[in-house]
């Protein structure tokens, strides 16, 4: 218990340190607001208010402006984001090849809508416009990996396989499906 | 003035030139290839190479950038995405050479390719998509193409600068710096007839001439590369950046020299992680070799490139919005004049070109303006890369001389419509363009001709739509896109696109009237004239072209309350044909609302009251017993 707490404390310290470095790196540089926000989001996963305040201060802009920029671009998130992102591509090629049904099935499978996180904070579904793999439409990207030529069924399989991989090794996964741990798992 | 010959350091690869390897395996690692699983295939080849000990035959070199052994080369997009993962194999045995390409390769196929073909010398015919002997059905995809912009893409390793240098990379920049004045460079590009490939088609040489004509008080000028490829359905810039980033750096440096800029920016979408990664690797290598940075090749010309990641806003593809975004502001377009050439980024003279435009510049310098201008059609010179996608058999990237007809591109190169369905339209120019019907397939693809139809060449996306796609839904799709992406500055765009979208939703929901169609036309005209930038100015195009060429489908939606493609759910009705139903219960299991009932081996029944029209039963039925009307 105590060791776990210290572990997470150090992890947090690491984040703070990285954030300080980022702020120092861009302090006083013109036009740094966007890269500052991008960097901060990469460190914390999203942009909570205290982070926004410090970004604004480092960039020499009022908080209102920093918030204005953060809400203008689709990339920035003001709320926490789950660990893994499932991006359902809704570019033109994907749209005409049935992206809507694919989104629907993935949403149904994970029990959340696009823009939401699963309760365990492992997955977020996003709808995006074009990931640049139109030749393989319809496409779903899980983190940085694209999966193409999907059908609604195949899309769910892909997410399921990813889940098994993520949850299968390590903490109390329920039905990971991977035969690790050297023994039988379920019936 | 003509320049005296300057003595500069000629760019050369650093690794020793090796004789041609006996075995050379090249695997497509573009985004499309990766989506099809090419990384796993590459890994399988590497393992197999190791296991069989064939390594000794493979080109003996170290990859200078990534440090890994280059037994197997990962390349950029090889073009024919439909058959990804593509694996090209070059073999040299007993003095004769052969080159073949395998398509849709899986890791399981790799051991057999290795033992039978690479070691045994017998290609495995059933998996081949291309050979240098007899033609296959896929030859047509490559036959009509002419690769100038993408000449190295899909051939060389984009993460290895020596690959680019071995292929003659940076020689155009060397030629420019050692033998040409800035004015001569501009003249060359002007004479080539090159026009902006990002969509507007503005003459590139003229743009450079404007920028060269302005000076800033502190001497700072900017040269910007627009890699914010936002058109959903276009991926040529993505592939160019992933497949050969150095060609873009070289084009930028040549342009910067021509206009007198010392600082460059590349603005690239954050949605392209692979392209960003390869740009970073490439920039570092180019700087280390003195090809980008201070005193390039020992000359007095210095040019630095900075990379900016876009944060996800379509409007940032507009040049003034893009510059606002680099400045760390909200990316909102501003009034022109002043044009960027006079006052752009941080109020300095700036020039901005699209990725594809810049990637072809080295070719023009090397081969001359005349060679480029000899290709193409009327006022549209050279070649253009098109992204073929949607319901077309051979999806992929095709670079063709401008002026080829739509039919030649879609049916010749693309191999026609998938699954023998009926062609309905080709969408060109994304959210700023429109859908063209079959009757226009014989039009040549050049800027002027396509503009006259109401669509645009745009960035070169060609999405084929078949009888299973609804034209009203397609128009709605684009409007919903532009409505979301409107920056909000101009009310006609911000509110007008919203109102148009509301009406299109109403029509798709079966509640539209004929007056709604008139309203769409009226509102479209208002949005067009009342918007500051091209986003709003062209946002109504998808609706206007749809109305122009497919008005009957709109009328069908509002008068007959029918969607012939079965896409608009509110206008669709599912039923089960008792004759065709075998009673397999597949639809019963898949129905989320329990609307379908029936015993095994008895015809099933669908309760219309409970049906939510999700279409799951329709997709599942293998006996065509579920009918959609």
């Amino acid at each position: 218990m105590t060791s776990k707490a210290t572990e997470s404390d150090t992890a947090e310290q690491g984040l703070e340190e990285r954030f300080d470095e980022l702020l120092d790196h861009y302090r006083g540089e013109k036009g740094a607001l966007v890269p500052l926000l991008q960097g901060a989001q990469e460190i914390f996963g999203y942009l909570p208010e205290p982070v926004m305040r410090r970004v604004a201060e480092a960039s020499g802009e009022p908080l209102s402006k920093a918030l204005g920029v953060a809400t203008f671009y689709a990339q920035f998130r003001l709320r926490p984001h789950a660990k893994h992102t499932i991006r359902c591509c809704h570019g033109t090629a994907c749209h005409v090849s049935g992206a809507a049904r694919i989104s629907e099935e993935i949403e149904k499978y994970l029990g959340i809508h696009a823009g939401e996180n699963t309760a365990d904070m492992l997955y977020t579904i996003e709808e995006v416009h074009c990931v640049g793999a139109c030749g393989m439409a319809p496409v779903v990207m899980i983190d940085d990996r694209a999966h193409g030529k999907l059908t609604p069924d195949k899309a769910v399989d892909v997410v399921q396989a990813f889940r098994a991989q993520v949850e299968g090794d390590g903490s109390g996964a329920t039905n990971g499906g991977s035969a690790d741990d050297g023994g039988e798992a379920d019936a | 003035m003509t320049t005296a010959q300057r003595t500069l350091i000629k760019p050369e690869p650093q690794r020793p030139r090796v004789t041609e390897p006996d075995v050379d395996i090249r695997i497509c690692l573009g985004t499309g290839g990766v989506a099809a699983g090419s990384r796993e295939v590459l890994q399988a080849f590497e393992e197999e190479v190791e296991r069989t000990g064939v390594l000794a035959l493979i080109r003996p070199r170290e990859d200078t950038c990534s440090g890994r052994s280059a037994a197997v080369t990962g390349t950029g997009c090889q073009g024919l995405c439909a058959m990804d993962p593509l694996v090209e194999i070059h073999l040299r045995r007993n003095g004769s050479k052969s080159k073949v390409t395998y398509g849709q390769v899986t890791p399981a196929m790799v051991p057999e390719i290795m033992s039978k073909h690479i070691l045994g010398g017998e290609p495995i015919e059933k998996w081949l998509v291309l050979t240098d002997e007899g033609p296959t059905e896929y030859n047509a995809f490559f036959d009509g193409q002419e690769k100038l912009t993408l000449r190295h893409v899909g051939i060389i390793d984009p993460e290895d600068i020596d690959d680019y240098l071995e292929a003659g990379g940076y020689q155009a920049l060397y030629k420019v710096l050692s033998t040409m004045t800035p004015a001569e460079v501009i003249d060359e590009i002007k004479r080539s007839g090159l026009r902006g490939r990002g969509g507007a088609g503005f003459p590139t040489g003229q743009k450079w001439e404007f920028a060269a004509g302005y000076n800033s008080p502190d001497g700072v000028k900017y040269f910007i590369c627009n890699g914010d490829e936002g058109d959903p359905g276009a991926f040529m810039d993505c592939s160019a950046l992933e497949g050969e980033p150095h060609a873009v750096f070289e084009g930028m440096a040549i342009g910067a020299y021509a206009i007198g800029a010392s600082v460059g920016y590349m603005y690239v979408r954050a949605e392209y992680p692979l392209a960003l990664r390869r740009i970073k690797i490439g920039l570092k290598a180019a700087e280390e070799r003195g090809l980008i940075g201070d005193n390039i090749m020992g000359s007095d010309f210095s040019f630095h490139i900075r990379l900016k990641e876009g944060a996800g806003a379509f409007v940032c593809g507009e040049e003034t919005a893009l510059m606002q975004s680099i400045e760390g502001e909200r990316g909102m377009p501003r009034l022109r004049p002043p044009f960027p050439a006079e006052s752009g980024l941080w109020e300095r003279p700036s020039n901005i070109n699209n990725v594809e435009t810049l990637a072809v510049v080295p070719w023009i310098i090397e081969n001359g303006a005349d060679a480029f201008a000899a290709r193409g059609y009327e006022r549209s010179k050279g070649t253009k890369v098109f992204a073929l996608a949607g319901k077309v058999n051979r999806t992929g990237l095709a670079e063709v001389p401008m002026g080829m007809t739509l039919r030649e591109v879609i049916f010749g190169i693309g191999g026609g419509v998938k699954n023998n369905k009926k062609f309905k339209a080709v969408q060109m120019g994304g959210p700023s363009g429109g859908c063209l019907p079959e009757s226009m397939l014989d039009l040549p693809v050049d800027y002027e001709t396509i503009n006259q139809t109401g669509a645009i060449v745009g960035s070169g996306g060609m999405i084929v739509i078949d009888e299973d796609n609804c034209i009203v839904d397609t128009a709605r799709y684009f409007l919903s896109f532009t409505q979301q992406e409107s920056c909000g500055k101009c009310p006609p765009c911000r509110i007008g696109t919203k109102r148009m979208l509301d009406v299109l939703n109403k029509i798709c929901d079966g509640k539209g009237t004929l007056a709604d169609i008139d309203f769409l036309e009226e509102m479209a005209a208002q949005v067009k004239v009342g918007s500051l930038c091209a986003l709003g100015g062209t946002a109504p195009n998808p609706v206007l072209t749809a109305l122009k060429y497919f008005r009957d489908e709109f009328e069908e939606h509002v008068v007959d309350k029918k969607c012939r493609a079965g896409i608009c759910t509110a206008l669709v009705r599912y039923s089960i044909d008792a004759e065709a139903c075998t009673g397999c219960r597949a639809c019963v299991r898949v129905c989320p609302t329990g609307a379908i009932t029936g015993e095994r081996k008895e015809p099933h029944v669908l309760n219309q009251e409970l049906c939510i029209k999700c279409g799951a039963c329709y997709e599942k039925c293998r006996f065509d017993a579920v009918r959609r009307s």
Side-chain angles (χ1 to χ4, degrees):
Chain A
M1 188 74 180
T2 37
S3 75
K4 255 215 171 128
T6 18
E7 215 170 82
S8 74
D9 279 357
T10 23
E12 207 145 284
Q13 262 174 22
L15 294 185
E16 284 298 325
E17 251 167 55
R18 279 172 63 201
F19 187 43
D20 286 338
E21 267 170 40
L22 176 82
L23 294 175
D24 288 341
H25 180 79
Y26 285 107
R27 204 178 295 277
E29 192 182 311
K30 58 180 183 175
L33 197 46
V34 173
L36 269 170
L37 291 169
Q38 283 170 329
Q41 181 163 293
E42 202 178 306
I43 295 169
F44 298 106
Y46 74 113
L47 300 166
E49 192 188 316
V51 169
M52 286 298 299
R53 287 188 185 279
R54 294 188 59 200
V55 164
E57 182 254 330
S59 67
E61 303 282 2
L63 178 63
S64 58
K65 164 119 182 247
L67 201 62
V69 170
T71 52
F72 182 84
Y73 295 100
Q75 188 187 10
F76 300 120
R77 303 182 286 255
L78 301 180
R79 280 181 300 174
H81 199 73
K83 195 169 171 197
H84 303 285
T85 311
I86 297 165
R87 292 187 180 85
C88 299
C89 182
H90 284 247
T92 317
C94 291
H95 177 80
V96 303
S97 310
R101 286 278 301 124
I102 284 169
S103 276
E104 214 176 287
E105 286 303 313
I106 294 179
E107 288 175 17
K108 214 192 293 171
Y109 171 68
L110 288 175
I112 52 170
H113 291 293
E116 293 175 355
N117 303 316
T118 50
D120 56 10
M121 288 303 278
L122 278 177
Y123 312 99
T124 296
I125 303 179
E126 279 180 1
E127 272 183 17
V128 296
H129 284 122
C130 207
V131 297
C134 313
M136 301 300 296
V139 177
V140 168
M141 267 186 115
I142 304 181
D143 291 339
D144 278 352
R145 167 82 154 81
H147 303 265
K149 288 193 175 166
L150 298 175
T151 59
D153 285 348
K154 263 198 236 165
V156 171
D157 288 348
V158 164
V159 178
Q160 214 161 18
F162 182 77
R163 259 184 110 165
Q165 198 188 320
V166 166
E167 300 169 33
D169 49 36
S171 59
T174 45
N175 47 0
S178 65
D180 52 1
D181 280 332
E184 32 75 62
D186 50 39
Chain B
M1 67 166 192
T2 49
T3 345
Q5 193 83 18
R6 280 161 292 196
T7 326
L8 301 182
I9 308 156
K10 197 171 164 66
E12 299 277 0
Q14 272 181 7
R15 66 164 171 251
R17 262 182 199 284
V18 290
T19 47
E20 224 176 308
D22 289 335
V23 180
D24 191 352
I25 305 168
R26 293 156 188 251
I27 300 170
C28 172
L29 284 190
T31 296
V34 173
S38 62
R39 268 198 217 290
E40 289 76 5
V41 173
L42 183 121
Q43 203 187 343
F45 266 108
E46 277 179 343
E47 282 166 14
E48 202 61 11
V49 159
E50 191 95 345
R51 193 182 66 77
T52 54
V54 93
L55 188 64
L57 304 172
I58 290 181
R59 57 173 167 175
R61 67 173 171 87
E62 282 293 308
D63 184 321
T64 42
C65 288
S66 55
R68 62 183 168 77
S69 88
V72 181
T73 309
T75 71
C77 177
Q78 296 184 353
L80 183 57
C81 303
M83 295 306 284
D84 263 329
L86 292 165
V87 177
E88 199 179 282
I89 295 177
H90 300 247
L91 282 186
R92 212 168 53 141
R93 309 185 144 250
N94 315 325
S96 72
K97 288 194 283 186
S98 71
K99 179 189 128 187
V100 300
T101 305
Y102 289 103
Q104 297 188 334
V105 179
T106 62
M109 289 154 69
V110 173
E112 200 174 333
I113 295 177
M114 187 59 87
S115 61
K116 282 199 184 143
H117 181 188
I118 295 176
L119 297 172
E122 284 297 313
I124 305 165
E125 304 254 335
K126 61 183 175 187
W127 297 332
L128 288 178
V129 291
L130 268 182
T131 70
D132 45 12
E133 288 164 14
T136 71
E137 62 165 306
Y138 297 100
N139 276 66
F141 181 83
F142 296 95
D143 285 350
Q145 293 199 53
E146 200 174 356
K147 294 201 174 186
L148 314 185
T149 315
L150 302 178
R151 59 186 160 151
H152 303 308
V153 174
I155 297 169
I156 68 177
D157 181 349
E159 297 185 15
D160 185 351
I161 190 171
D162 277 332
D163 255 28
Y164 185 60
L165 288 166
E166 260 175 20
Y170 289 104
Q171 298 304 324
L173 180 60
Y174 176 74
K175 179 178 172 185
V176 161
L177 294 181
S178 56
T179 64
M180 293 170 86
T181 63
E184 283 167 354
V185 175
I186 291 173
D187 184 57
E188 193 74 13
I189 299 300
K190 273 174 86 173
R191 283 197 306 114
S192 75
L194 175 64
R195 294 167 69 172
R197 299 297 192 229
F202 191 83
T204 306
Q206 212 177 329
K207 207 174 196 180
W208 288 8
E209 193 169 41
F210 289 149
Y214 288 98
N215 287 309
S216 72
D218 56 4
V220 177
K221 278 191 193 182
Y222 295 105
F223 195 97
I224 303 166
C225 167
N226 185 347
D228 193 42
E229 180 176 56
D231 271 11
F235 57 103
M236 58 284 294
D237 291 353
C238 179
S239 294
L241 289 169
E242 281 175 5
E244 196 30 81
H246 288 287
V248 184
F249 306 154
E250 192 179 358
M252 285 179 77
I254 292 168
Y257 172 77
I259 72 160
S262 55
V263 181
Y265 277 98
M266 292 183 87
Y267 188 95
V268 179
R269 302 177 79 199
E271 289 91 333
Y272 290 169
L274 191 57
L276 287 166
R277 195 178 98 92
R278 292 189 178 151
I279 291 169
K280 285 175 196 160
I281 292 172
L283 262 185
K284 188 161 166 273
E287 283 163 2
E288 280 168 9
R289 302 285 178 94
L291 301 169
I292 295 294
D294 286 326
N295 302 101
I296 293 174
M297 301 176 197
S299 70
D300 49 14
F301 171 63
S302 299
F303 180 60
H304 295 265
I305 296 179
R306 294 176 193 156
L307 177 62
K308 283 272 177 182
E309 280 183 39
F314 174 65
V315 69
C316 287
E318 199 276 347
E319 57 181 17
T320 60
L322 187 147
M323 290 181 214
Q324 290 280 306
S325 179
I326 293 179
E327 292 180 17
E329 305 283 328
R330 297 167 70 114
M332 290 164 117
R334 62 159 175 78
L335 202 61
R336 293 174 301 181
F339 284 91
E342 185 184 353
S343 175
L345 186 60
W346 284 302
E347 293 167 6
R348 303 296 192 287
S350 308
N351 178 81
I352 179 162
N353 291 118
N354 157 271
V355 169
E356 194 189 329
T357 317
L358 293 168
V360 79
V361 164
W363 189 95
I364 296 174
I365 295 295
E366 270 171 50
N367 297 277
D370 296 334
F372 190 77
R375 297 165 166 88
Y377 182 82
E378 293 188 348
R379 288 173 53 209
S380 302
K381 299 298 185 195
T383 55
K384 169 87 190 86
V385 184
F386 291 98
L388 269 172
K391 306 290 183 66
V392 62
N393 272 319
R394 295 193 281 265
T395 55
L397 274 192
E399 180 170 356
V400 298
M402 295 210 78
M404 202 177 231
T405 67
L406 282 168
R407 192 184 299 280
E408 284 167 329
V409 178
I410 296 165
F411 287 84
I413 289 172
V417 184
K418 253 183 210 167
N419 304 326
N420 289 319
K421 293 276 183 179
K422 197 169 161 354
F423 175 89
K424 181 180 267 184
V426 54
Q427 210 289 338
M428 287 194 69
S432 309
C435 286
L436 302 180
E438 188 159 18
S439 61
M440 301 194 128
L441 282 178
D442 292 312
L443 291 179
V445 183
D446 71 292
Y447 291 103
E448 278 67 32
T449 310
I450 300 297
N451 276 349
Q452 277 167 17
T453 64
I456 59 169
V457 171
S459 53
M462 276 193 194
I463 316 281
V464 175
I465 288 171
D466 70 10
E467 55 189 317
D468 288 341
N469 293 115
C470 167
I471 216 79
V472 185
D473 171 71
T474 308
R476 172 173 73 161
Y477 167 77
F478 283 111
L479 245 286
S480 106
F481 178 83
T482 36
Q483 190 268 322
Q484 275 174 38
E485 295 292 342
S486 170
C487 79
K489 186 168 186 161
C490 312
C493 171
R494 182 180 72 228
I495 304 168
T497 53
K498 177 82 177 114
R499 289 293 294 121
M500 288 176 73
L501 179 61
D502 288 345
V503 168
L504 286 164
N505 279 331
K506 196 176 149 195
I507 296 175
C508 290
D509 285 344
K511 294 172 186 151
T513 62
L514 282 171
D516 285 327
I517 297 180
D518 298 335
F519 174 85
L520 279 177
E521 282 177 326
E522 199 182 307
M523 190 52 82
Q526 306 267 355
V527 173
K528 257 175 126 70
V529 297
S531 302
L532 182 67
C533 80
L535 188 150
T538 59
N541 285 355
V543 179
L544 289 175
T545 51
L547 279 170
K548 191 166 164 190
Y549 303 117
F550 301 93
R551 201 181 181 93
D552 53 334
E553 259 190 66
F554 278 81
E555 289 174 354
E556 234 170 57
H557 277 68
V558 299
V559 179
D560 308 328
K561 305 293 177 202
K562 192 170 176 297
C563 173
R564 65 173 89 165
I567 293 288
C568 300
T569 28
L571 303 175
V572 171
R573 186 175 180 276
Y574 289 95
S575 56
I576 295 172
D577 181 345
E579 296 272 298
C581 180
T582 62
C584 73
R585 290 186 61 84
C587 57
V588 178
R589 280 193 298 273
V590 83
C591 178
T593 60
I596 306 175
T597 48
E599 294 301 313
R600 178 165 292 280
K601 295 192 175 159
E602 296 286 325
H604 301 336
V605 182
L606 196 159
N607 181 344
Q608 296 295 338
E609 305 259 296
L610 292 176
C611 178
I612 56 166
K613 299 172 181 177
C614 67
C617 53
Y618 182 79
E619 276 165 22
K620 208 80 197 173
C621 183
R622 287 180 293 126
F623 309 100
D624 280 335
V626 179
R627 297 288 158 84
R628 188 164 66 184
S629 56

